[in-house]
């Protein structure tokens, strides 16, 4: 299996372990660190980065050409949208609906999806195209998996912080493509100089280089 797909499965396993943490179950109905999300809703949204991938693979492959990874983020409606924008309300509602299965149910769904994806990703062609849920446009499967790894990385931190447990330590094989994606988005949003200064020159760094 391609190393990036292995990395995605590692990220998915970390997500499943966090969703199944007793601290998450104990706080399921409580507000999370993200406005509008309960802990359970945030866990449901995190789990969706795994649970929804088999459904994406089950859909017919779209016609190309595929958009580039960074160009995918020019098309998504949630990036830069207000908290109460329709797309963000839909995202929160989706997480809360997933949370209705309860902590054990969401954890079990995530674990089952990982087993299914281990088989599916092993045989998916290198040039496989998919239609992302944010579509309709074509995206390379492996680029889509990078977007899911970014979501897992960011929301695992959100969820862990929400319930007072350590943020999962992800392997370099996950962090490298995620940081490359976030760095590219930050450069596009703030400019190269701002990002370089934020990483290397505290005395003249901008107040924020947030990427998403």
């Amino acid at each position: 299996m391609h190393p990036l797909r292995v990395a995605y499965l590692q990220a998915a396993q970390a997500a499943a372990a966090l969703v199944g943490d007793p601290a998450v179950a104990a706080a399921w109905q409580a507000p999370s660190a993200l406005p509008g999300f309960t802990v359970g809703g945030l866990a449901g949204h995190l789990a969706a980065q795994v649970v929804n991938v088999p459904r994406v693979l089950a859909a017919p492959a779209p016609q190309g050409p595929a958009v580039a990874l960074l160009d995918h983020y020019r098309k998504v409606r949630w990036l830069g949208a207000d908290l109460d924008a329709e797309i963000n309300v839909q995202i929160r509602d989706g997480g809360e609906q997933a949370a209705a299965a309860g902590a054990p149910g969401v954890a079990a769904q995530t674990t089952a999806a990982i087993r299914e994806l281990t088989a599916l990703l092993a045989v998916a062609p290198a040039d496989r195209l998919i239609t992302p849920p944010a579509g309709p446009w074509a995206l390379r499967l492996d680029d889509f998996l990078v977007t899911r790894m970014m979501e897992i990385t960011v929301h695992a931190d959100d969820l862990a912080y929400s319930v007072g447990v350590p943020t999962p330590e992800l392997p370099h094989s996950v962090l490298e493509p995620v940081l490359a994606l976030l760095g590219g988005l930050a450069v596009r949003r703030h400019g190269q100089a701002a990002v370089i200064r934020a990483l290397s020159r505290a005395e003249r760094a901008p107040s924020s280089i947030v990427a998403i």
Side-chain angles (χ1 to χ4, degrees):
M1 189 185 299
H2 190 281
L4 187 139
R5 298 180 183 186
V6 174
Y8 167 74
L9 291 171
Q10 291 174 318
Q13 289 161 357
L18 180 58
V19 169
D21 192 296
V24 172
W28 199 252
Q29 300 295 335
S32 77
L34 295 188
F37 268 120
T38 64
V39 167
L42 180 54
H45 182 61
L46 174 61
Q49 314 313 315
V50 183
V51 173
N52 289 346
V53 176
R55 302 172 193 166
V56 170
L57 284 168
Q63 296 295 314
V67 303
L69 178 56
L70 288 181
D71 289 339
H72 166 75
Y73 287 94
R74 294 188 188 277
K75 293 176 172 288
V76 297
R77 292 187 293 143
W78 58 263
L79 188 59
D82 292 338
L83 181 64
D84 292 327
E86 180 183 1
I87 183 60
N88 283 327
V89 172
Q90 291 173 355
I91 289 170
R92 292 194 297 273
D93 286 349
E96 299 299 334
Q97 289 168 13
V106 174
Q109 290 168 7
T110 310
T111 300
I114 292 170
R115 289 196 297 268
E116 184 176 2
L117 285 168
T118 299
L120 291 174
L121 294 177
V123 298
D127 60 353
R128 175 71 152 88
L129 300 182
I130 58 90
T131 301
W137 53 85
L139 190 66
R140 291 180 59 248
L141 170 60
D142 289 351
D143 283 344
F144 177 64
L145 296 179
V146 173
T147 73
R148 299 309 91 187
M149 285 194 286
M150 185 272 281
E151 294 280 344
I152 289 170
T153 302
V154 170
H155 291 307
D157 179 57
D158 292 332
L159 183 58
Y161 181 82
S162 296
V163 300
V165 300
T167 298
E169 289 288 326
L170 297 171
H172 183 71
S173 57
V174 174
L175 288 181
E176 184 175 12
V178 168
L179 292 175
L181 171 57
L182 290 174
L185 291 172
V187 167
R188 191 171 71 187
R189 183 171 180 178
H190 301 282
Q192 185 180 97
V195 175
I196 294 299
R197 290 169 183 172
L199 295 174
S200 63
R201 292 293 181 262
E203 67 275 14
R204 59 176 183 270
S207 59
S208 172
I209 56 165
V210 66
I212 55 175

